[in-house]
Amino acid sequence: MKIIILGAGYGGLQAARVLANAGHQVLLFERNKRENIGYHWPMDVLPSVFEEVNLPLPEGTVRCPATEFHISTSALTRTIDSPEKDRRFHVDGRALSQELIELAEQAGAELRFECAVSELLTRDGKVYGVYLNGFPLEADLVIDSIGIQPKEETSIKIRPMQSYLTVALPKKEGHYPEKKVFALNPLGQPGIAEFYQNRDGKVLILVGRFQPCSAEQLKIDLSKIRPGISLLEGKSIQDGTCLSMSVRSPSLKMVSPGFAAIDKSNFVSDALFSGQTLAETIIGSGVSMESLWSYQVRYYKKIVADAFYFQELKWSLINTDGKQLAGAFEDNLLTDSMLLFIAAKTRLAPNENNLLAPFRKCLKRPLFSAALAKANAKGQSIQNLAENIPEKYDPESIAKWNEEMKKATS
């Protein structure tokens, strides 16, 4: 079969590699330059991911160091030192992308960079290919790994997050212990900050918040949290870039005739699993709607059901008042499990999906307790809906399920 993939994301590249290895004709289009694919940003990936998708560890990959947590206005710091075997892999985003590109090409996939597709080629509600430079290019299946689906065809909740990426230089040259710091609500408003100290002492900083702001304002925000983070004391800021990222919920419509989307959840492991699952489904049963729907079912049951649940808990904490968070932290009400989840850049294991129980003591803090209870109830409800996705392709039952999910996630 001839398969076109749009975008050189992690999931798209993994799908290209697996499908090409199985003998399919794979053509992938990416609008950016080859050398610019992926970000030089450390990403934490579950240890099981590389084994499950048969992917070698990128060069330079190490286990994540112990994590320090700073909670809002709290002056206390908690360091969580997990056993090494349980720590996620610390992967450079660009190194992973470049490795996937090489593996996909070795498998026989044809990758064309600096080549943008303008729109999908459709007829009678079915996707037959793409338009490239105004010319139609047909395929048996088009895989979206860039979010090209029209907005009206999806149910994607988008939160724009403005971010400030920068580098802090060490005061003295030398070797430093690798360290990761996660700050929750560090700006006194909904926002996050992550810090990674490398062995050469350089500190990579990601500051973000969920309201529009300028690069200058983000610099001011960064200056406010510097005194509280030991990594930044006495260090000078080298450079910075302000950018806007879309933080998306899972899409309800991942497949349609001739088309399948690799869901862009914000997590590397989810994208890799999505690409792997889609490729395995195509190899096993083709590209009929029944086959494509079974891919969405597998993906929802394995990954997305838990993602909906955890997302509700995460947002309730990010948006909780700073004083409530600080008090809960200082009273030891926030558990290691919850902190690890918030900091994780990939999903947790299914057996960790009920995190409300450790917060029973929060009843003496009514606002904090109420926010968590509400998030827990909504998260479990949406999780149950996701797990009860119709097993077989039946447009009527799927339409009904879609409506229920839209109401629950709105």
Side-chain angles (χ1 to χ4, degrees):
M1 283 188 293
K2 184 175 182 178
I3 299 171
I4 291 177
I5 299 178
L6 308 177
Y10 304 112
L13 289 168
Q14 177 65 11
R17 172 196 174 203
V18 176
L19 289 167
N21 263 327
H24 293 289
Q25 182 183 352
V26 179
L27 184 58
L28 184 149
F29 297 108
E30 167 59 48
R31 70 175 60 191
N32 295 305
K33 293 181 179 180
R34 180 191 185 105
E35 62 270 20
N36 292 338
I37 306 302
Y39 292 98
H40 280 307
W41 184 260
M43 296 180 297
D44 301 346
V45 186
L46 283 174
S48 61
V49 171
F50 292 93
E51 182 178 345
E52 290 190 38
V53 301
N54 191 27
L55 184 65
L57 289 174
E59 186 177 349
T61 296
V62 296
R63 292 281 185 173
C64 290
T67 302
E68 281 188 6
F69 291 86
H70 292 259
I71 306 297
S72 191
T73 57
S74 174
L76 300 178
T77 302
R78 169 178 257 174
T79 299
I80 297 177
D81 191 3
S82 305
E84 185 170 344
K85 67 180 180 64
D86 296 330
R87 293 184 187 176
R88 291 165 171 78
F89 285 117
H90 210 47
V91 181
D92 178 84
R94 181 157 293 173
L96 178 58
S97 293
Q98 297 302 319
E99 178 178 83
L100 283 166
I101 287 172
E102 292 180 9
L103 290 171
E105 289 180 331
Q106 290 172 13
E110 182 179 349
L111 278 58
R112 297 185 186 177
F113 297 94
E114 299 181 73
C115 191
V117 167
S118 56
E119 59 181 304
L120 300 177
L121 173 62
T122 61
R123 186 165 61 247
D124 299 326
K126 181 178 180 180
V127 176
Y128 282 92
V130 299
Y131 282 101
L132 183 66
N133 299 323
F135 294 96
L137 185 62
E138 294 191 0
D140 296 293
L141 180 70
V142 175
I143 297 176
D144 165 21
S145 187
I146 61 172
I148 199 171
Q149 252 181 316
K151 186 175 180 181
E152 62 271 13
E153 291 297 319
T154 63
S155 298
I156 302 175
K157 190 187 297 180
I158 298 178
R159 290 182 173 92
M161 184 178 78
Q162 296 240 337
S163 306
Y164 187 71
L165 301 173
T166 189
V167 176
L169 300 177
K171 192 172 183 180
K172 297 180 180 179
E173 292 186 3
H175 293 286
Y176 293 76
E178 290 186 338
K179 190 183 291 187
K180 175 182 176 182
V181 172
F182 184 86
L184 174 63
N185 211 353
L187 312 177
Q189 58 186 312
I192 60 172
E194 295 179 14
F195 305 81
Y196 295 88
Q197 179 174 267
N198 296 329
R199 291 180 183 177
D200 61 2
K202 288 183 180 178
V203 180
L204 300 175
I205 307 167
L206 169 63
V207 179
R209 66 179 189 178
F210 296 93
Q211 291 93 8
C213 64
S214 64
E216 191 59 37
Q217 182 60 50
L218 279 168
K219 288 181 182 179
I220 295 173
D221 292 337
L222 180 61
S223 69
K224 291 179 181 177
I225 62 176
R226 282 182 69 182
I229 306 295
S230 60
L231 295 184
L232 300 182
E233 290 181 356
K235 303 185 187 305
S236 58
I237 302 300
Q238 183 184 45
D239 56 25
T241 304
C242 184
L243 70 158
S244 180
M245 296 186 292
S246 294
V247 182
R248 309 201 312 175
S249 299
S251 170
L252 295 184
K253 188 171 182 180
M254 297 172 66
V255 297
S256 59
F259 178 91
I262 292 177
D263 204 12
K264 296 171 75 175
S265 62
N266 307 304
F267 302 141
V268 176
S269 38
D270 287 1
L272 289 172
F273 279 131
S274 182
Q276 179 78 21
T277 302
L278 176 56
E280 290 173 348
T281 304
I282 294 168
I283 293 168
S285 53
V287 295
S288 67
M289 269 309 297
E290 288 75 13
S291 173
L292 294 177
W293 179 252
S294 70
Y295 149 67
Q296 180 162 342
V297 172
R298 287 176 64 193
Y299 185 66
Y300 258 68
K301 291 200 168 200
K302 184 175 181 180
I303 296 174
V304 178
D306 284 346
F308 276 119
Y309 175 80
F310 288 130
Q311 182 170 270
E312 293 302 322
L313 288 177
K314 182 175 182 179
W315 287 115
S316 72
L317 287 175
I318 286 179
N319 289 284
T320 296
D321 174 77
K323 291 183 179 180
Q324 290 285 336
L325 278 175
F329 180 65
E330 288 163 2
D331 290 347
N332 203 32
L333 301 178
L334 287 173
T335 67
D336 286 1
S337 293
M338 178 59 87
L339 290 173
L340 283 171
F341 160 66
I342 298 168
K345 297 181 76 68
T346 137
R347 62 190 174 87
L348 286 182
N351 62 0
E352 296 172 295
N353 66 359
N354 192 341
L355 298 174
L356 185 64
F359 290 87
R360 299 301 180 193
K361 292 185 292 184
C362 289
L363 290 175
K364 62 182 179 181
R365 296 185 181 277
L367 294 176
F368 187 58
S369 176
L372 285 171
K374 183 178 179 180
N376 181 69
K378 185 176 180 182
Q380 286 187 337
S381 174
I382 300 175
Q383 183 184 48
N384 291 337
L385 275 173
E387 289 174 345
N388 290 324
I389 183 173
E391 288 277 354
K392 299 196 175 183
Y393 180 68
D394 173 56
E396 187 174 334
S397 59
I398 290 172
K400 183 178 179 182
W401 175 81
N402 273 332
E403 286 302 314
E404 292 176 349
M405 285 295 290
K406 284 180 183 178
K407 291 178 183 176
T409 56
S410 61

